[in-house]
């Protein structure tokens, strides 16, 4: 553990002096793309280069980012690799949809994640946090992988907020099927990398076909049952995301989502909301375990402000929020956002051809030397009080920006504050002896080998 007064520089790969050759680069990109960035990426506004898959422009200039994500939004689409990976059951969900289908869905789904709706989910989040604290209370002095516990908790929150009346009799089977489902769709099949059309079945997915069918079938049964409750009217149907989704209408046309879109969006919310938020919680706990100064500040805050039945709790935990925002700066769960240019453009003086891949990497942007002071140091003060207003909108993008900004951002931050707040209130954490924490990007940015910690109870539940 570190001294309170020394600046803490959390583990991160040292940028390379020079770009790797094509073969070595592909190997590093496959193992841990964080290790491929060069010093130039952290110093220059735009770096244009070639990859075997085509031209790539990495943009870290806030005005140019605004141009790509907002002003000339129509010229940039999610690239084929992302869409292929996300295909599976998510093809008709908000994350993967494009054009008119995306626009209609976004309009219809926005109210599900409004500030007011998310606020109403705080009791489900508090219940999931309470269950986590109770589970860990019996683990005194044992080594616990907190990344596993965080993932379990974020799934618990999604279950409680999407299907608040539960999965029914086969809950454990459904959970197991769901785990395999999301593990598999998160993997890049070699056929995806080679650009083989999506219609050709992937061997990595055949094996799990029966699991997929069980999971998708279970979701369909839940939807049918819920439609029945809604049809009965009144208070028969629970007030959760599923009911909101089934009742969602395009405010302009009054159209409801199709059956396929409903299922795809349930899968999308779980896929997009589970691991990302779990990583945010995990990294926050790691950073707090290493900074006695901020750990003490968060402890003081939660000792005074946290209780399991408090409404509006996330609004009061302002120090905890600053820690979570700083965590998302240093270890953004989605380390890179990418687009493909549909037509030519000019980005900060660089001509961009049709088909160029444009990468906006929050990991690079958030550690860029031109945009941050001591970018590699952990310092939540950047996000605390009046300092927060000085963080540039397009210099800090853990949730993206523009029309495709994360729809679940408020949900995720509220959840992370509640879970981290509950854990800090009840436990002291110490990294397992000998364990080296190292960031690794595999779809999301996570600690390699998890986060083994020794927990000591601070107070009874
Ligand atoms: C810390 C947690 C999270 C992070 C860091 C995160 C990050 C992001 C980012 C960067 C994007 C934009 C991607 C792009 O522009 O290519 C995005 C989109 C999205 N996120 Fe999140 N997310 C988180 C949690 C959630 C949660 C909890 C949900 C839902 C329950 C969610 C649902 C979505 C959806 C549906 C989209 C697609 C929006 C659209 O294209 O219109 N995310 N997320």
């Amino acid at each position: 553990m570190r001294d309170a007064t020394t600046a803490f520089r959390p583990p991160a790969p040292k940028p390379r002096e020079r770009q790797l050759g094509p073969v070595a680069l592909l190997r590093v990109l496959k193992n841990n793309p964080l290790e491929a960035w060069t010093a130039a990426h952290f110093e220059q506004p735009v770096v244009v280069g070639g990859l075997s898959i085509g031209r790539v422009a990495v943009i870290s200039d806030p005005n140019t980012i605004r141009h790509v994500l907002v002003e000339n939004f129509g010229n940039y689409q999610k690239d084929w690799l992302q869409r292929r990976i996300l295909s599976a059951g998510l093809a008709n969900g908000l994350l993967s949809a494009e054009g008119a289908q995306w626009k209609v869905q976004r309009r219809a789904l926005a109210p599900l994640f409004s500030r007011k709706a998310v606020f109403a989910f705080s009791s489900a989040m508090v219940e999931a946090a309470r269950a986590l604290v109770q589970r860990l209370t019996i683990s005194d002095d044992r080594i616990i992988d907190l990344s596993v516990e965080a993932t379990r908790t974020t799934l618990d929150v999604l279950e409680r907020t999407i299907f608040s009346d539960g999965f029914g009799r086969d809950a454990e089977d459904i959970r197991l099927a769901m785990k395999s489902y999301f593990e598999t769709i998160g993997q890049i099949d070699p056929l995806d990398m080679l650009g083989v059309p999506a219609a050709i079945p992937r061997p990595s997915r055949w094996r799990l076909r029966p699991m997929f069918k069980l999971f998708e079938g279970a979701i369909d049964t839940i939807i049918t049952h819920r439609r029945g409750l809604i049809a009965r009217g009144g208070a028969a149907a629970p007030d959760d995301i599923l009911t909101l989704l089934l009742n969602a209408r395009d405010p302009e046309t009054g159209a409801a989502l199709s059956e396929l879109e409903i299922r795809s969006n349930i899968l999308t919310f779980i896929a997009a909301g589970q691991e990302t938020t779990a990583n945010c919680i995990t990294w926050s706990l790691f950073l707090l375990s290493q900074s006695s100064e901020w750990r003490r500040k968060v402890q003081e805050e939660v000792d005074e402000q946290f209780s399991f039945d408090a409404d509006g709790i996330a609004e009061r935990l302002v120090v905890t929020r600053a820690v979570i925002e700083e965590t998302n700066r240093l270890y953004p769960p989605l380390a890179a956002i990418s687009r493909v240019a549909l037509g030519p453009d000019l980005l900060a003086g660089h001509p961009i051809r049709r088909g160029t891949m444009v990468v906006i990497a929050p990991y690079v942007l958030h550690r860029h030397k031109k945009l941050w002071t001591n970018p590699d140091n952990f310092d939540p003060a950047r996000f605390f009080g009046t300092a927060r207003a000085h963080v540039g909108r397009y210099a800090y993008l853990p949730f993206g920006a523009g029309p495709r900004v994360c729809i679940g951002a408020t949900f995720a931050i509220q959840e992370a504050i509640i879970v981290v707040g509950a854990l800090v209130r009840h436990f002291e954490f110490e990294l397992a002896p000998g364990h080296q924490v190292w960031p690794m990007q595999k779809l999301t940015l996570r600690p390699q080998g998890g986060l083994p910690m020794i927990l000591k109870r601070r107070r009874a539940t």
Side-chain angles (χ1 to χ4, degrees):
M1 240 171 276
R2 276 151 235 277
D3 183 84
T5 52
T6 51
F8 167 41
R9 193 183 166 114
K14 191 169 175 303
R16 293 179 183 276
E17 288 304 313
R18 232 166 287 113
Q19 175 98 34
L20 288 164
V23 177
L25 179 60
L26 275 182
R27 200 180 56 237
V28 172
L29 288 179
K30 183 168 179 291
N31 291 334
N32 187 6
L34 290 189
E35 294 175 11
W37 298 115
T38 65
H41 289 109
F42 297 90
E43 287 159 16
Q44 290 173 23
V46 176
V47 178
V48 182
L51 249 188
S52 52
I53 48 171
R55 271 169 71 80
V56 178
V58 181
I59 315 286
S60 304
D61 169 52
N63 287 333
T64 312
I65 291 175
R66 191 180 57 224
H67 174 82
V68 171
L69 295 181
V70 184
E71 288 147 11
N72 201 14
F73 160 76
N75 190 45
Y76 295 93
Q77 213 176 49
K78 295 204 173 182
D79 58 89
W80 60 268
L81 186 59
Q82 258 186 88
R83 283 147 58 86
R84 183 75 46 77
I85 295 166
L86 293 175
S87 60
L90 313 187
N92 294 289
L94 190 63
L95 199 61
S96 320
E98 287 287 355
Q101 187 188 27
W102 167 78
K103 207 167 173 179
V104 169
Q105 284 197 18
R106 182 87 196 195
R107 278 199 304 246
L109 298 179
L112 273 67
F113 293 95
S114 68
R115 212 155 257 293
K116 191 162 159 257
V118 170
F119 196 70
F121 294 138
S122 50
S123 52
M125 293 172 179
V126 162
E127 281 316 308
R130 190 206 299 271
L132 170 67
V133 167
Q134 274 168 357
R135 214 162 54 230
L136 296 181
T137 299
I138 51 165
S139 321
D140 246 10
D141 288 332
R142 279 190 298 148
I143 294 180
I144 302 287
D145 185 345
L146 283 182
S147 71
V148 173
E149 289 299 335
T151 309
R152 216 170 136 182
T153 306
T154 51
L155 181 60
D156 189 12
V157 167
L158 287 162
E159 268 185 54
R160 288 172 194 263
T161 49
I162 300 178
F163 323 97
S164 60
D165 49 354
F167 280 143
R169 269 184 304 129
D170 304 322
E172 249 340 284
D173 287 350
I174 296 176
R175 268 185 217 114
L176 261 179
M178 181 153 70
K179 191 163 174 283
S180 317
Y181 190 92
F182 289 111
E183 274 168 6
T184 312
I185 62 167
Q187 278 164 20
I188 304 179
D189 190 283
L191 296 183
D192 293 329
M193 287 298 272
L194 294 170
V196 173
I200 310 285
R202 304 300 195 247
S204 60
R205 288 174 192 160
W206 284 342
R207 229 171 2 102
L208 289 158
R209 204 52 228 156
M211 277 282 203
F212 282 15
K213 280 215 148 23
L214 172 79
F215 179 51
E216 292 180 354
I219 300 278
D220 288 345
T221 310
I222 293 172
I223 294 174
T224 311
H225 175 69
R226 181 63 63 86
R227 277 199 195 285
L229 291 180
I230 293 174
R232 263 188 252 155
D239 215 1
D240 57 14
I241 292 184
L242 181 54
T243 296
L244 291 170
L245 196 56
L246 291 171
N247 287 334
R249 297 289 179 273
D250 177 352
E252 288 186 14
T253 64
L257 266 57
S258 72
E259 212 53 38
L260 191 62
E261 288 177 324
I262 302 253
R263 186 173 79 187
S264 290
N265 275 303
I266 290 175
L267 300 178
T268 295
F269 297 154
I270 300 173
Q274 188 193 358
E275 212 180 280
T276 44
T277 318
N279 283 322
C280 164
I281 294 168
T282 305
W283 284 116
S284 302
L285 296 171
F286 164 65
L287 291 167
L288 283 173
S289 78
Q290 303 300 298
S291 163
S292 49
E293 177 191 355
W294 285 94
R295 189 170 58 250
R296 202 192 57 249
K297 288 184 183 173
V298 174
Q299 281 172 346
E300 279 168 16
E301 178 174 82
V302 294
D303 286 352
E304 212 172 279
Q305 301 284 355
F306 191 93
S307 91
F308 277 126
D309 50 14
D311 239 3
I313 180 168
E315 304 303 313
R316 288 201 300 277
L317 301 186
V318 289
V319 181
T320 315
R321 178 182 295 264
V323 166
I324 282 160
E325 292 209 276
E326 174 70 342
T327 302
N328 279 342
R329 183 184 71 83
L330 286 167
Y331 298 115
L334 283 190
I337 297 169
S338 54
R339 297 286 188 267
V340 67
L342 300 178
D345 200 0
L346 194 65
L347 296 183
H350 296 266
I352 298 293
R353 291 202 295 256
R354 176 175 178 267
T356 301
M357 193 194 266
V358 173
V359 176
I360 295 161
Y363 180 82
V364 173
L365 183 72
H366 296 174
R367 292 168 182 260
H368 203 280
K369 292 196 163 51
K370 295 251 166 20
L371 302 172
W372 302 88
T373 317
N374 297 323
D376 295 317
N377 288 358
F378 173 64
D379 184 10
R382 306 173 204 271
F383 293 94
F384 190 68
T386 51
R388 180 68 181 86
H390 300 295
V391 174
R393 174 63 191 98
Y394 294 90
Y396 179 64
L397 294 178
F399 296 104
R404 295 210 76 145
V405 66
C406 177
I407 203 168
T410 310
F411 185 103
I413 293 284
Q414 179 177 297
E415 175 181 357
I417 292 176
I418 291 174
V419 174
V420 170
L423 289 176
V424 173
R425 183 168 157 95
H426 290 89
F427 302 99
E428 289 277 3
F429 309 90
E430 205 172 299
L431 199 59
H435 184 83
Q436 295 288 332
V437 167
W438 192 245
M440 155 152 193
Q441 186 186 344
K442 284 270 177 227
L443 214 63
T444 56
L445 204 168
R446 56 184 76 169
Q448 185 171 26
L451 185 65
M453 290 263 201
I454 298 175
L455 270 60
K456 291 203 190 307
R457 204 159 4 143
R458 289 185 66 223
R459 62 175 69 241
T461 43

